[in-house]
Amino acid sequence: MTPDRTSGLSMRIREQAEAVFPVIQAIRRDIHAHPELSYEEFRTSAIIHEYFKALGIEPEPQFLETGVVALLQGRAEGPLIALRADIDALPLSEENACAYSSQHPGTMHACGHDMHTAMLLGAASILAGMRDELSGSVLFIFQPAEEKAPGGARPLIEAGLFKRFNPSAVIGQHCFPNVPSGKVALCRGSFMAAADELYFTVSGQGGHASAPHKASDPVLAAAHIITAAQHLVSRVAPPHEPAVVSISSIQGGHAPNVIPSKVVMSGTMRTMNEDLRRLLHEKLHETVRHVGEGLGVEAEVEIRQGYPVLYNDPEITRHAAIACSEYLGRENVIDSEPLMTAEDFAYYLQEKPGTFWQIGTGLPEQDRSNMLHSPTFDPDENALSTGAGLLAYSAIRFMDYFAGEKG
């Protein structure tokens, strides 16, 4: 596609994104006021379902109890590009005071999934208006339960999503308040971490605190386990490989003069490399057991595997950066460093090539408390038109790319 054509296409889509903004802003505010937790997104799914019917697109039969998948077919056969948004909220009480604050105490869209949903609906509206010009098709995935392991992506895939559809690429985006509104940030390769939950149980022989020699102290053993777990990061993980082991909860005992018989702890392990992840799992089991044996207690760790490493295909991400630059201007496309947060979009990228970028929702004057998973998270709504237009433009440019254009 020539520069004149890309310029004309981007201008046209920006105009349509601005035109659809009031509609998707109203939907975002409605969803924000009525947040639903993972696998409870019935109202949200119904809104999405009706929106697509109004566009003349019949959603696919449900793969899961909640969530919506819809296919937009262009005028001609061509590549299939999948665009994904997540739709669930968090178990968190909102502290913002606005007309569309959460009406459900203890539940809030504090991670921007209401924004993601509205953006993808806006992209669907733009692309539906251009369906006679599309040389390919677009698959819209509104996925439930990103916030609750094992997430909604893997069950959706296991339910046959990619047996029914075979996209050439899967594209997603996530609101980030530390990225200025109007900009996007991309990262090639490993972008987000594998996240595993750690649950430790240390069992000994309780006794009087004045006679520790007559007890088998699980508190002392727990302290050594914490230190030994940090040793794994500093002496087992290569210095160039990011890894985090954090013990964030410890419970045991109830009196200052009583050695308890059991201590339980919990924490998290984050890695950016699946081979290192497996090695640390093995070493952590060995370390906990050996420390316990050396101190005369029984110690074990249960590792509950969470989302895998989110790996952005380098070539797809390179082309995404080109498309983003064409649409937003090169000055508004920045590089992102890898993040130790986790996302179940990683499961899609294990099956299909694709990329996941940060879309800016931050303002220069915003309060420092305006962070993801915060009760005061308040993204800039102008990002709705940015995100909707960028998804629509990127889908078309990826059709060009997979049809043979390598610009």
Side-chain angles (χ1 to χ4, degrees), residues 291-303:
V291 170
E293 291 173 352
L295 294 172
V297 301
E298 292 184 5
E300 60 183 15
V301 59
E302 176 191 358
I303 303 177

Side-chain angles (χ1 to χ4, degrees), residues 11-268:
M11 182 178 299
R12 180 181 171 193
I13 290 181
R14 279 195 295 271
E15 291 173 353
Q16 294 183 49
E18 289 301 321
V20 80
F21 173 77
V23 176
I24 61 175
Q25 181 189 49
I27 291 174
R28 181 258 164 170
R29 292 184 174 188
D30 182 25
I31 293 172
H32 189 89
H34 301 91
E36 297 172 301
L37 297 176
S38 300
Y39 290 120
E40 298 176 9
E41 313 96 332
F42 295 100
R43 184 180 184 276
T44 304
S45 296
I47 290 172
I48 298 167
H49 193 278
E50 291 305 311
Y51 190 93
F52 273 95
K53 291 185 71 174
L55 292 178
I57 302 170
E58 185 65 33
E60 297 296 313
Q62 286 182 285
F63 287 86
L64 302 175
E65 193 173 10
T66 55
V68 178
V69 174
L71 177 67
L72 171 64
Q73 294 181 311
R75 64 170 172 79
E77 293 291 329
L80 173 63
I81 309 301
L83 305 177
R84 174 268 203 175
D86 37 17
I87 66 175
D88 57 326
L90 283 162
L92 184 69
S93 292
E94 183 164 12
E95 295 179 6
N96 293 317
C98 58
Y100 52 91
S101 294
S102 173
Q103 297 180 18
H104 303 284
T107 308
M108 177 191 175
H109 271 292
C111 200
H113 295 188
D114 52 338
M115 296 280 289
H116 304 163
T117 300
M119 290 174 187
L120 189 51
L121 289 175
S125 181
I126 294 168
L127 291 167
M130 303 173 66
R131 73 181 79 197
D132 291 339
E133 305 169 43
L134 300 181
S135 298
S137 302
V138 184
L139 184 68
F140 302 95
I141 304 169
F142 294 84
Q143 176 216 302
E146 190 280 326
E147 296 289 0
K148 184 177 181 180
R154 188 171 69 180
L156 192 56
I157 294 167
E158 291 173 347
L161 177 66
F162 291 144
K163 292 179 181 177
R164 173 75 174 83
F165 302 101
N166 183 29
S168 298
V170 184
I171 310 299
Q173 59 184 8
H174 198 297
C175 293
F176 270 82
N178 60 317
V179 177
S181 186
K183 296 180 181 290
V184 295
L186 299 96
C187 179
R188 298 189 195 185
S190 296
F191 175 37
M192 290 187 173
D196 300 316
E197 296 179 355
L198 311 176
Y199 296 93
F200 303 83
T201 302
V202 187
S203 303
Q205 174 61 54
H208 201 288
S210 67
H213 60 293
K214 296 182 179 181
S216 297
D217 189 352
V219 176
L220 178 64
H224 279 271
I225 288 170
I226 292 173
T227 302
Q230 298 307 312
H231 155 266
L232 297 179
V233 174
S234 65
R235 291 297 180 269
V236 175
H240 61 276
E241 288 283 2
V244 171
V245 175
S246 293
I247 311 302
S248 52
S249 170
I250 179 168
Q251 298 173 328
H254 59 278
N257 60 347
V258 177
I259 294 175
S261 60
K262 185 167 75 171
V263 171
V264 295
M265 302 184 294
S266 63
T268 187

Side-chain angles (χ1 to χ4, degrees), residues 366-378:
Q366 74 183 17
D367 191 274
R368 291 182 64 186
S369 65
N370 183 12
M371 299 302 294
L372 296 173
H373 289 218
S374 163
T376 53
F377 177 58
D378 186 20

